[in-house]
Structures are given as C-alpha cells and as structure tokens.
Amino acid sequence: MSVSDQSSALPRCPWAGDDALYRHYHDAEWGRPVLSDTRLFEKICLEGFQSGLSWITILRKRERFRAVFHGFDIARVAAMGEADIARLLTDTGIIRHRGKIAATINNAARALEIQREFGSLAAYFWGFETRPEHRPDDLSWAALRLLAQTDASRALSKDLRKRGFKFVGPTTCYAFMQAMGLVNDHTEDCFCRGAVEAERAALTRPTPLRQRPPL
C-alpha cells in the first residue's frame, strides 16, 4: 500500500469526506492551535464569507481571497475603501457579497483596535478558550455534529459585535474556534485528535496587555 493509500485509509472526522483538498485541510490545519494574527484575522473573515455556504466552497476560493485582500494584512485591509468594494464585486474568484466584503474591511479596522488594546489578536481570541471542564464528554461524530455553538462562542460573538465586528454570530465564532484550535473537536476516533491535543498541551498562551472585562 502506498503512502497516499495509507493516508486515505486513516480514520478521520466524517466531514472531511473524499475531497483531497478538504482532507488536506482537515489533516494539516483544522484544529491546530494558531497564534498568528494574520491567520486568525483571515479565518474570522472567511468564516463570515462562509455564512449560508459550505466551507469547501470558501476553501476552493481561499487563494483568491488572499490575493484580493492583501494576504489578509490587517492594516492594508483596513485601508481599503469603496473603490475596492466596487472592484471586488466584479471578481468572480471570490464570494461577491457587498455586505461581507464591507464587513471584512470594517473588521480589519476593529482588529487594529483590539491589537492596540490587548497587544495582539491572539491574546484577545485565546482569552475565550473553552475551559476543559466545559467540554463535552461525548466526542463522537453524532454528538459533535450537533454542537453548533457554545457558551464560549456566544461570549466571543457578543464581545466582537459590541466592538463593531460584522458577520460574527455565535455559530460562525464556534466554527472559527474549532478551526483555530481553541477547542479540539476532532472526533475521538480521528487520527488527528491526539496530535492536536499534544499541540494544544505544548502551546504557550499569549498574555494580553489588559484583561477583558466580564461580559
């Protein structure tokens, strides 16, 4: 059996399916803890674009999103304006939704404010990490597929919206938290679960410049 065949035969979370791009995303990215402000900003924006769509649709367009939004450089995106929105509405390589495009630019400006307040987006977002005792005991696919939002994702959504972010509902925020490793929602039988848990255990959480006030 080839290495490729062995990889295909490994037990995965069922949502990864048979698509090679989706499987690679599942194996190499999803759930791995992220501290990069650029990647965190990219993901919260792309989760907003996903609203009403499937993630594989966004994943297939991700490289074009990166190209038109300057690699999700936060300051450069915050400097974009109406002319950029008009241009992007003609770009068939992305999701041409005026509200979501405008929200990305708005959210960049809000992200800069968070960086100034907390020192980094990472310090802010990781402050919403779910405590171990609040995680479910049942990590089967049947249970996890029904877990669309949590107290932590509702708290994050509430705080982001209070700060002026758009397209950051509690379900969107939970998908973001799952993808960026703030929780480990690989199923109990998935071959990635142990590796992700080890990465989370070894992670040094960032210390914010100031503590977030209680909601």
Side-chain angles (χ1 to χ4, degrees), residues 172-190:
T172 293
C173 284
Y174 192 57
F176 165 82
M177 296 171 82
Q178 290 175 304
M180 297 288 96
L182 276 78
V183 296
N184 182 2
D185 272 358
H186 283 281
T187 55
E188 54 199 3
D189 59 342
C190 176

Side-chain angles (χ1 to χ4, degrees), residues 21-22 25 42-43 45-66 72 93-96 100:
L21 179 63
Y22 220 9
Y25 172 74
E42 173 188 279
K43 185 60 175 173
C45 292
L46 292 183
E47 287 293 350
F49 274 102
Q50 183 194 349
S51 180
L53 303 169
S54 64
W55 175 246
I56 189 60
T57 298
I58 304 301
L59 189 59
R60 288 171 178 153
K61 295 176 179 287
R62 184 168 64 171
E63 290 307 315
R64 185 58 185 164
F65 273 112
R66 287 172 171 171
F72 287 93
I94 66 168
I95 304 301
R96 293 177 291 172
K100 293 177 181 180

Side-chain angles (χ1 to χ4, degrees), residues 37 50 56 77 80 89 94 97 127 139 144 146 151 168:
D37 277 16
Q50 183 194 349
I56 189 60
V77 175
M80 295 171 70
L89 285 171
I94 66 168
H97 185 292
L139 297 171
L144 289 175
L146 300 176
D151 289 344
V168 286

Side-chain angles (χ1 to χ4, degrees), residues 103-182:
T104 299
I105 297 170
N106 167 78
N107 292 352
R110 306 290 77 77
L112 291 175
E113 294 167 355
I114 286 178
Q115 287 179 324
R116 289 191 289 268
E117 183 177 352
F118 292 90
S120 67
L121 282 186
Y124 170 78
F125 280 126
W126 279 89
F128 289 89
E129 182 181 10
T130 304
R131 294 168 59 180
E133 61 268 28
H134 293 163
R135 297 291 294 139
D137 294 327
D138 186 354
L139 297 171
S140 67
W141 173 238
L144 289 175
R145 69 193 297 265
L146 300 176
L147 192 61
Q149 54 180 260
T150 63
D151 289 344
S153 78
R154 286 186 284 270
L156 175 58
S157 173
K158 180 179 178 181
D159 197 65
L160 285 172
R161 287 186 289 189
K162 183 171 67 175
R163 293 172 181 278
F165 278 73
K166 308 295 184 184
F167 287 94
V168 286
T171 300
T172 293
C173 284
Y174 192 57
F176 165 82
M177 296 171 82
Q178 290 175 304
M180 297 288 96
L182 276 78

